[in-house]
Amino acid sequence: MASNAAVPFWRAAGMTYITYSNICANLVRNCLKEPYKAEALTREKVHFSIATWNDGKPEKPVLRSDTPED
Amino acid sequence: MRLGVDVKKNVIVTISSDKGLCGGINSTSVKISKALHKFSGPDKETKYVVLGEKAKAQMVRDSKKDILLTIAELQKNPLNYTQVSVLADDILKNVEFDALRIVFNKFHSVVSFLPTISTVLSPEIVEREAESGGKLGELDSYEVEGGETKAEILQNLSEFQFSCVLFNAVLENACSEQGARMSAMDSSSRNAGDMLDRLTLTYNRTRQASITTELIEIISGASALEG
């Protein structure tokens, strides 16, 4: 499938739209002033553990924690 | 029962809880996921992505071969959009799909939850359906501004839609889980109280019967001595 227009820079770098909008939201949250900023940053905490399964066997789970941009 | 859009590769995302003691909601989610799997027919491929320990434990028993990803410890921090969107990103990167069916419990009231399926289509399928007319064909009546083509916008929107639908599903499931836990704990407390009452009555009756037996023995022994 040939694309006529140039893809946006973030998609060419391998990011999805979700990652792009998360980074933008993080920038906006960092612009807040102090008491609101701490509250807003608590809304960004990420923690979960994900394991891929191959053929009925789970591999070692990867823990993704605390940095939203990971 | 038509599943809406006919696709080759279905991926079923089952949402459940990590903690137990919440009644039957996790079992209903798993039951619906398995029914969806069986329903999609022999020539279509259906795989699972499982969120939460409870559904994982039930799925591993008979559908091990069809599981793609399992996710745990999702509720360690209070739920927020960033976490779910990172998760959605992971799923998008690792899973090939034509349609994603998200199975969760929609919160209706504290005692009633409706198991629901939300569908998210991949951009290619949306294009295909849009061209064949029907409801999705109305996408063409929207004007696209800026330098982006329709295919790019569809792809961005489809990713964002998946992330938002997943967030909605996770929140509704969390609510339903809390409600189910409340009603399950309440009914088990009531059952335990009832059992306690019944057993107390039995205990008292038995105690009185054994005291009466001892009294009878003593009295008959005493009267045997006298007479």
Side-chain angles (χ1 to χ4, degrees), chain B residues 124-134 136-140 150:
Chain B
E124 294 89 27
I125 300 290
V126 174
E127 286 258 23
R128 192 186 80 185
E129 291 293 316
E131 278 160 30
S132 66
L136 282 179
E138 295 166 16
L139 271 181
D140 279 333
K150 182 166 155 229

Side-chain angles (χ1 to χ4, degrees), chain A residues 1 3-8 10-11 14-19 21-22 29 42-58 63-70, chain B residues 56 60 64-78 80-83 85-94 147-149 151-152 155-157 159-160 162-163:
Chain A
M1 188 180 89
S3 60
N4 314 341
V7 289
W10 42 270
R11 200 173 276 286
M15 285 203 271
T16 57
Y17 180 73
I18 302 177
T19 330
S21 65
N22 271 342
R29 286 192 188 111
T42 60
R43 286 201 283 273
E44 285 202 323
K45 294 245 178 342
V46 171
H47 179 101
F48 60 92
S49 116
I50 181 167
T52 28
W53 283 55
N54 256 325
D55 228 17
K57 294 210 174 45
L63 185 65
R64 311 201 52 167
S65 177
D66 252 340
T67 332
E69 272 85 26
D70 262 4
Chain B
K56 181 171 95 168
V60 161
K64 255 166 58 160
K65 302 250 173 255
D66 289 327
I67 301 184
L68 284 177
L69 292 172
T70 61
I71 292 115
E73 294 182 35
L74 196 61
Q75 294 206 8
K76 188 151 179 216
N77 296 326
N80 54 42
Y81 175 70
T82 313
Q83 171 166 323
S85 65
V86 173
L87 181 60
D89 193 36
D90 269 354
I91 296 183
L92 277 177
K93 288 207 173 113
N94 286 328
E148 298 181 340
T149 64
E152 276 180 32
Q155 192 171 15
N156 291 347
L157 279 182
E159 292 172 1
F160 192 51
F162 172 45
S163 169

Side-chain angles (χ1 to χ4, degrees), chain B residues 1 3 12-14 26-41 46-48 50 54-64 66-67 101 103 117:
Chain B
M1 178 179 104
L3 268 186
I12 302 180
V13 181
T14 312
N26 292 324
S27 316
T28 37
S29 290
V30 170
K31 214 174 13 163
I32 299 226
S33 314
K34 292 192 184 165
L36 255 190
H37 182 120
K38 214 190 293 194
F39 185 73
S40 44
T46 318
K47 299 267 174 194
Y48 293 108
V50 183
K54 295 286 154 193
K56 181 171 95 168
Q58 295 188 20
M59 288 287 187
V60 161
R61 258 188 270 138
D62 53 354
S63 315
K64 255 166 58 160
D66 289 327
I67 301 184
R101 316 261 177 203
V103 176
I117 306 176

Side-chain angles (χ1 to χ4, degrees), chain B residues 3 11 22 36 60 79 82 120 129 132 140 164 207 217 225:
Chain B
L3 268 186
V11 173
C22 47
L36 255 190
V60 161
L79 289 173
T82 313
V120 174
E129 291 293 316
S132 66
D140 279 333
C164 290
R207 183 177 56 94
E217 287 174 6
L225 278 179

